[in-house]
Amino acid sequence: LIGIIVAGYSYHGVDAELAVDDNTTTDVHHVDPESQAEVAVHAVFFPWFAQLVGIAVYYVLSRYARAIPFTAMMFLIGLAIGVGVEVRTTDGVDSVVAESVSTWMQIPGELLLLIFLPGLLYVDSYSIDVHLFLKSFSQLLFFAFPM
């Protein structure tokens, strides 16, 4: 579902991007369907790639390097991927991973929150202790509605 939403967003993003780039005419722009489909496929590639990297890192860390925290290692790998994409795109070298990461970097943060936050909140609320929730409800209200 998330891949379909992101692919649809990137599909329409190509249309808007081309319309902004060419301000000389007011005609409706016709975009090559192959280029739109290619961008949509590349947008869906990155989440699968990130999951595979996460699984591989978890396996290696749980077997051979228990002292290294998983979250810290994933942060460093994500940082390396981001820097690598920026270096590769400034050099003019383009790959599928670089195009996919670039597509995800263009998505507004609000859209990512709207996609991922409900599922994360549901999972956490489903596993919460009811007594603990009722005990801390006043504090939750205080932090939920700042002055």
Side-chain angles (χ1 to χ4, degrees):
L1 178 63
I2 295 169
I4 294 170
I5 293 170
V6 172
Y9 180 80
S10 65
Y11 183 79
H12 294 297
V14 170
D15 234 356
E17 196 174 284
L18 291 175
V20 169
D21 288 343
D22 187 18
N23 291 330
T24 57
T25 63
T26 57
D27 295 339
V28 175
H29 297 285
H30 297 287
V31 181
D32 183 25
E34 285 185 19
S35 66
Q36 287 182 340
E38 187 175 315
V39 170
V41 168
H42 291 174
V44 176
F45 176 72
F46 180 68
W48 288 99
F49 176 73
Q51 286 180 350
L52 289 176
V53 169
I55 291 169
V57 169
Y58 182 77
Y59 178 78
V60 169
L61 291 180
S62 67
R63 301 278 190 238
Y64 306 111
R66 292 184 185 263
I68 300 173
F70 173 74
T71 309
M73 184 57 68
M74 288 304 294
F75 173 76
L76 292 175
I77 291 172
L79 183 68
I81 289 173
V83 169
V85 166
E86 287 296 320
V87 169
R88 288 185 67 112
T89 54
T90 56
D91 290 344
V93 178
D94 231 359
S95 68
V96 174
V97 176
E99 289 179 21
S100 181
V101 171
S102 298
T103 303
W104 275 86
M105 289 172 59
Q106 294 173 359
I107 296 174
E110 294 86 10
L111 181 63
L112 289 176
L113 281 176
L114 287 173
I115 292 171
F116 289 112
L117 196 58
L120 292 172
L121 289 175
Y122 176 76
V123 168
D124 284 339
S125 67
Y126 192 74
S127 63
I128 195 167
D129 182 19
V130 176
H131 176 71
L132 180 64
F133 175 74
L134 293 175
K135 189 173 181 178
S136 61
F137 189 72
S138 61
Q139 294 173 357
L140 292 171
L141 283 178
F142 180 73
F143 285 119
F145 301 106
M147 296 167 58

